[in-house]
Structure formats: structure tokens, C-alpha cells
Amino acid sequence: DHDHRGNVTALMAHTQRSPRWELHAPYYSFKVPIPGRSDRHADVVVIDSIGLEGGVDHELQAARRFREDYTDEFAGAEAGKTQWSWLEKVLEQDATASPAGNGLSVRIIVAHRPVVSNVNRSRTQAERWVEKRLREMLKAAAARTPVLFLNGHDHAMQFLEEPGANLHYVGNGVGGMELHNFFPAGDPSAAAEFQWGSSTLGFLVHELGPEAVASYFVGAKTRQVLHSVTLAYASRV
């Protein structure tokens, strides 16, 4: 959301100036081969959380965080409608292909804001609207192919798992800002999907293996793995 308070066009244009910076569009997707499996791949889908929020109902537009700083071109109602339509098509690409024929092993969704979180911080009604709609889409996609959802925004490490679905939520927003606390166990606002968390500075490392994708939470001070999560690929017949 902070990037949208600046010049989004300049952020994308910087791709042409730096080999270390890749942002060709506000949202996009690409395929990554599975190591040792020439017939298998992972779909990586990068979405723009603020752009999606542009699609909220009219009465919620005023409730958007930093709304006065956003541009209609990238975060307005039409931009939101366009991205939601694009995302629906991307997530449904494997719905018409046979499991054996599409080669898709896992889908990795990358966003700024979370869909589910156990961090104790306020959420606007606009954020909740996006969370609800996006969660429904992710659950539908995970019914066909495992989904790993990655997000930042909340300043904590956390892992949550959707009950009865091959859907993992992995959050990591601990690059250096003030850390956030979690809801205590038993709190009415605590996320039932919460499995592990830490308010520690650090980073995440993801590894695509032959049979699963692994995520490693690494502490900045110790440089040790604090927790790891594995999501098995879809079995193909």
C-alpha cells in the first residue's frame, strides 16, 4: 500500500534501469519448472492487493486506507474490476484440463496484504471485503491444485492452514519495521487457522523440490531456521 502512495509507473519503469529489479506490471504470472520433473511446473501469481481493493463496493471506497493518495489508473474501481477478472481466469486455468495433462503441481500466490492473519492490528471494512472474496477464490483453486499464499503487510512471521484444504497461508513482514503482536490463544479474534508464529526480524526462503514446496522462516540475528512448512504437490494420474 505504501508503494501506491508514490509513482507506480516509475516503479515499473525502474525495471529497465536495474537488473535487480523486476516489476513489469502491477500484477502478472509466470511458470517455474519443478526440479527433476520436466513435465511439471509451479504457477507463480503475483497480485496487487491495493489494486484489488479498488473493486470494493462503492460505499466502502471511503473506508480504504490511504485512499486519498491512490490513483484511479492503478487502484480505482475500473482497475480493481479488471484485476479481479484477470485473477479469476488465471485461477481457473486448470479447471478444464485433466490433472494428468496440465502439468501443474502447485500454485503460489504472492500478495502484500494477508487473507487470514493472527496479528493483532486493525483492518478496514474494505480490507475485509477483499479478504473474504479472495479467500473464496483460493479455496476453490485449492480444491484442484495445492495453493501456497504468501504475504507481507503484518510485521510478524506466521503460518496458517485452511481446514480441509490444500491451502497454506505464509506471512512474513519482518524486514525491519516495528513488530506486531499476535492475538493470544483463546481470544475471540484469534484466527483458528493459526499454526505457528513469531514476532522476530528475519526472512523466508522457499524451495521447490521434486515432490513438495518447502518454506523456511529464518531469524535475522541467529540466521537459523525457526520453523519450516511443507506443502505436497498435487498427485497426477
Side-chain angles (χ1 to χ4, degrees):
D1 41 10
H2 299 285
D3 289 338
H4 270 276
R5 302 177 73 188
N7 189 326
V8 177
T9 300
L11 289 172
M12 294 187 293
H14 192 63
T15 301
Q16 308 303 320
R17 298 177 61 89
S18 172
R20 300 180 61 186
W21 182 271
E22 288 193 29
L23 185 66
H24 303 279
Y27 50 91
Y28 53 93
S29 65
F30 59 93
K31 300 182 186 302
V32 179
I34 299 297
R37 306 293 297 271
S38 60
D39 60 333
R40 307 281 288 276
H41 68 271
D43 273 359
V44 179
V45 184
V46 181
I47 61 178
D48 179 2
S49 298
I50 310 308
L52 288 177
E53 192 183 68
V56 300
D57 296 335
H58 178 73
E59 60 269 22
L60 295 181
Q61 288 289 341
R64 299 178 65 188
R65 189 170 183 245
F66 305 135
R67 176 64 185 92
E68 65 279 4
D69 297 329
Y70 299 156
T71 64
D72 287 339
E73 179 182 3
F74 296 106
E78 191 61 34
K81 179 181 178 181
T82 300
Q83 186 182 173
W84 279 112
S85 178
W86 169 85
L87 182 58
E88 287 175 350
K89 292 178 181 178
V90 169
L91 295 183
E92 292 175 355
Q93 285 178 351
D94 60 335
T96 56
S98 66
N102 62 33
L104 179 60
S105 293
V106 65
R107 185 171 273 124
I108 302 172
I109 316 294
V110 185
H112 174 64
R113 289 179 178 170
V115 170
V116 183
S117 175
N118 198 45
V119 164
N120 185 359
R121 67 178 301 185
S122 62
R123 316 281 176 183
T124 67
Q125 289 182 294
E127 288 177 84
R128 293 301 191 193
W129 187 96
V130 173
E131 291 170 2
K132 181 179 180 180
R133 182 175 178 181
L134 185 53
R135 187 175 185 179
E136 291 174 352
M137 293 172 62
L138 295 175
K139 290 169 67 175
R144 299 185 300 271
T145 303
V147 173
L148 173 61
F149 185 86
L150 308 176
N151 67 267
H153 190 61
D154 291 344
H155 303 170
M157 299 178 176
Q158 57 179 327
F159 163 57
L160 305 96
E161 186 173 9
E162 190 71 55
N166 290 320
L167 173 55
H168 286 183
Y169 305 102
V170 175
N172 190 75
V174 288
M177 296 294 288
E178 179 182 349
L179 299 173
H180 293 150
N181 296 318
F182 295 102
F183 286 110
D187 190 291
S189 298
E193 302 80 8
F194 182 68
Q195 302 294 319
W196 177 88
S198 176
S199 292
T200 305
L201 295 176
F203 55 92
L204 266 171
V205 175
H206 305 286
E207 180 181 23
L208 288 174
E211 303 297 336
V213 55
S215 300
Y216 303 94
F217 294 90
V218 181
K221 290 184 178 180
T222 64
R223 298 189 180 182
Q224 299 295 312
V225 175
L226 305 178
H227 190 74
S228 63
V229 178
T230 301
L231 179 61
Y233 298 145
S235 59
R236 300 303 183 193
V237 180

